[in-house]
Amino acid sequence: MSDPFSHDQELPHVIVLVGATGDLSQRKLLPGLLHLFQAGLVRHSRIIGTSLDDLDTPAFVELARVACQEGSNRKVDDEQWRDFAGRLEYVPQAAGPAALRDAVIAAEKLVAEEVEREHPGELAEVRRLHYLSVPPKAALQVVHMLDDAGLVERARIVMEKPFGTDLASAKALNDELHEVFTEDQIFRIDHFLGKEAAQNILAFRFANGLFEPIWNRNHIDHVQIDVPETLGLEGRTAFYEATGAYKDMVVTHLFQVLAFTAMEPPTSLEPGPIGEEKNKVFRSLRPIEPQHVVRGQYVGYRDKDGVPADSDTETFIALRAEIDNWRWAGVPFYLRTGKKLAEGARIISIAFKEPPRTMFPAGSGVGTHGPDHLTFDLADSSRLSLSFYGKRPGPGMKLDKLSMQFALHDTHYAGGVLEAYERLIHDAMRGDHTLFTTAEGVEQLWEKSRPLLASPPPVRPYPPGSWGPNAIHQLITPHAWRLPFERGWREGNADRPG
């Protein structure tokens, strides 16, 4: 099915925010929509919030004002806020599908009139974007509510993870979704891929003659994708008991980053070719075997309300993955993520194979700090670092590990960065699937997960503030985990190697 929508920078929309009073909406979505409005990317749009809370529009506007003040570090003048606030409306779900439909139709009319005033004679086709910021168990109920309201036509739908909990549930979810929305209308969101640094991987790999020829098994020894978190599971234990770290983080986030890191060059930077190359990576992924996985649970998790005393839910997972294709055969990919760990980070680290070192004398220092690394930091401040050995000034041949770094905040482009959710909302409005996963991709990953889900290894306890169970070191041997770094990132103009 061809995409009936153009890819203009600013498209007239009515955005239906389902779960508009929830945590994600207040932390990310409402502040993000305000920033898109400030940037002129949703200037001709209106936002209708709906949720189970019994609010009216003025109360919702006040909630949005507080959310935008607390969730954004950008200044908003009074005139901008009044214009944005005037585009907000609220319809409680208790009012029923007909009330939501009437509000959307009325909002579409207002948007069309606004476009007509600014561009006389121009006929505006107002699109619809439904953002489902709701728990997974409520997603299908909302989908059918939108169908009952007659709001499927000219619409796209953004869905939050997880997309199923195994192959059977993922297929059932996709089948029921496709009864209402076509695959082209569905946007399964992964905010990791909305970050500048994640997209920089594509630019770095394919636009540079220095790195493109060596991005393969002949020159790369192993890859680490490491996403530790310092936060615990306050208020989310019920959700985690039904999912765990693997289903919550690895399938929906880390494997998506792995695909960007490992994919073949697409024929063009369009959603179709990029999506196909990502799916090829998932098809080539070897099944995840239990003996290549370490599961952990932080001490104190079982003391949380609603957690059984014998809970086997993992709050930490580390695994070894392999891609069985020509480019990556024999190169291990090590993935790690967990709660209550020593640091919060989002790192991709490419370890290059080491050259012969017989020419260097004993005690020179070569090899003592491990292989050369190319490191991508996927945190909000986009950064990358290339580490290498260099000679220490002075007599003799003494080598130290040095690095070159690039940081987005060092450039004049820093002010124009969209945060991950902002970029992905805008991409969904434009119909751009590049940074979203597909039904096929989701089902492939659950297929590859079957051995692990059928026979998971036991969870191992680890103390909060650590890097996980000690077994992670056996998993990665003879290599070592890149985190914690022995050096820090350079901040601003500080002279600290990374």
Side-chain angles (χ1 to χ4, degrees):
M1 178 179 174
S2 62
D3 191 341
F5 304 105
S6 66
H7 284 234
D8 298 328
Q9 284 297 301
E10 204 279 325
L11 301 171
H13 266 79
V14 170
I15 301 167
V16 178
L17 188 53
V18 186
T21 60
D23 178 67
L24 177 63
S25 177
Q26 294 188 58
R27 285 188 303 106
K28 294 293 185 181
L29 304 183
L30 288 167
L33 287 167
L34 173 60
H35 185 227
L36 288 172
F37 176 75
Q38 290 176 292
L41 298 176
V42 294
R43 193 162 49 89
H44 295 304
S45 294
R46 299 184 74 86
I47 300 161
I48 298 176
T50 183
S51 76
L52 297 176
D53 290 324
D54 186 17
L55 302 178
D56 57 13
T57 294
F60 178 60
V61 170
E62 177 61 20
L63 178 147
R65 185 186 66 81
V66 173
C68 290
Q69 286 177 339
E70 296 179 352
S72 176
N73 55 10
R74 303 178 178 97
K75 292 183 179 179
V76 185
D77 61 43
D78 291 341
E79 184 178 351
Q80 279 182 328
W81 173 252
R82 282 194 299 271
D83 196 354
F84 180 74
R87 298 169 185 277
L88 300 176
E89 187 177 351
Y90 187 82
V91 178
Q93 286 187 23
L100 182 61
R101 180 188 64 240
D102 292 345
V104 170
I105 291 173
E108 288 173 342
K109 183 179 179 182
L110 292 173
V111 170
E113 290 172 351
E114 183 180 42
V115 174
E116 170 66 23
R117 283 195 301 272
E118 292 195 19
H119 307 281
E122 183 174 311
L123 182 63
E125 183 185 22
V126 182
R127 286 85 167 182
R128 300 161 178 167
L129 182 73
H130 306 307
Y131 197 118
L132 272 59
S133 178
V134 298
K137 61 183 180 181
L140 288 175
Q141 180 182 348
V142 173
V143 167
H144 291 298
M145 182 268 290
L146 294 171
D147 191 20
D148 293 340
L151 297 176
V152 174
E153 185 183 2
R154 292 180 284 111
R156 299 189 180 99
I157 182 170
V158 180
M159 299 192 64
E160 286 282 343
K161 64 169 177 109
F163 314 118
T165 56
D166 55 20
L167 181 59
S169 62
K171 284 186 172 180
L173 173 63
N174 287 328
D175 288 346
E176 194 165 347
L177 270 176
H178 291 155
E179 292 175 3
V180 179
F181 291 95
T182 65
E183 182 65 17
D184 282 353
Q185 293 176 286
I186 302 168
F187 290 76
R188 300 170 185 83
I189 196 167
D190 172 18
H191 69 273
F192 274 47
L193 295 187
K195 297 180 179 296
E196 286 287 340
Q199 295 162 73
N200 228 337
I201 298 169
L202 295 183
F204 203 86
R205 284 189 58 188
F206 299 129
N208 294 294
L210 177 61
F211 289 100
E212 192 280 330
I214 63 172
W215 210 264
N216 56 55
R217 57 186 166 82
N218 296 321
H219 301 281
I220 292 177
D221 183 78
H222 68 278
V223 177
Q224 296 181 31
I225 301 174
D226 212 349
V227 186
E229 297 180 283
T230 57
L231 296 175
L233 288 164
E234 290 74 13
R236 299 184 68 219
T237 50
F239 165 75
Y240 235 68
E241 274 297 296
T243 51
Y246 182 79
K247 296 175 181 179
D248 180 46
M249 291 291 294
V250 177
V251 175
T252 52
H253 291 324
L254 273 65
F255 278 152
Q256 304 300 324
V257 174
L258 180 149
F260 261 48
T261 308
M263 62 188 275
E264 294 296 321
T267 55
S268 68
L269 290 177
E270 293 293 323
I274 289 178
E276 175 56 20
E277 295 304 333
K278 285 173 58 183
N279 285 342
K280 285 181 183 178
V281 173
F282 299 147
R283 291 178 209 135
S284 301
L285 190 68
R286 286 183 175 273
I288 307 302
E289 300 292 345
Q291 65 266 29
H292 293 153
V293 177
V294 174
R295 297 169 69 234
Q297 186 185 90
Y298 68 79
V299 175
Y301 171 77
R302 294 179 181 178
D303 299 330
K304 299 289 184 182
D305 290 340
V307 177
D310 59 348
S311 171
D312 191 48
T313 300
E314 80 276 1
T315 61
F316 169 97
I317 192 156
L319 62 92
R320 171 181 172 140
E322 295 185 17
I323 300 170
D324 192 12
N325 63 17
W326 189 263
R327 181 182 293 266
W328 295 110
V331 178
F333 286 72
Y334 297 101
L335 281 57
R336 176 173 64 169
T337 187
K339 307 293 184 183
K340 291 274 191 181
L341 296 180
E343 293 179 21
R346 296 163 184 169
I347 296 294
I348 305 171
S349 188
I350 314 295
F352 294 101
K353 290 188 174 179
E354 298 187 65
R357 296 190 296 265
T358 53
M359 62 179 284
F360 293 96
S364 66
V366 67
T368 56
H369 294 291
D372 300 337
H373 284 85
L374 176 64
T375 303
F376 295 87
D377 185 350
L378 300 187
D380 292 333
S381 299
S382 177
R383 300 182 289 196
L384 60 89
S385 170
L386 177 63
S387 68
F388 52 90
Y389 284 99
K391 182 185 177 301
R392 185 186 306 171
M397 183 59 72
K398 295 288 187 179
L399 279 72
D400 286 327
K401 209 58 178 281
L402 309 172
S403 74
M404 293 187 295
Q405 294 189 15
F406 162 81
L408 190 63
H409 59 248
D410 290 338
T411 75
H412 65 278
Y413 297 112
V417 173
L418 293 178
E419 292 187 355
Y421 277 101
E422 297 166 4
R423 175 183 303 280
L424 294 169
I425 290 171
H426 187 240
D427 283 354
M429 294 171 72
R430 294 167 55 237
D432 187 340
H433 278 88
T434 302
L435 302 177
F436 298 84
T437 193
T438 64
E440 179 189 346
V442 169
E443 291 175 14
Q444 280 284 346
L445 289 173
W446 286 122
E447 172 68 34
K448 302 298 183 177
S449 303
R450 290 175 75 171
L452 173 62
L453 298 181
S455 183
V459 293
R460 301 167 184 260
Y462 64 93
S466 69
W467 286 100
N470 287 332
I472 61 173
H473 303 297
Q474 287 76 47
L475 175 72
I476 202 171
T477 188
H479 314 297
W481 289 101
R482 184 84 166 121
L483 286 175
F485 288 132
E486 66 275 10
R487 295 170 303 281
W489 286 99
R490 184 180 68 247
E491 299 293 345
N493 295 319
D495 185 20
R496 291 197 302 151

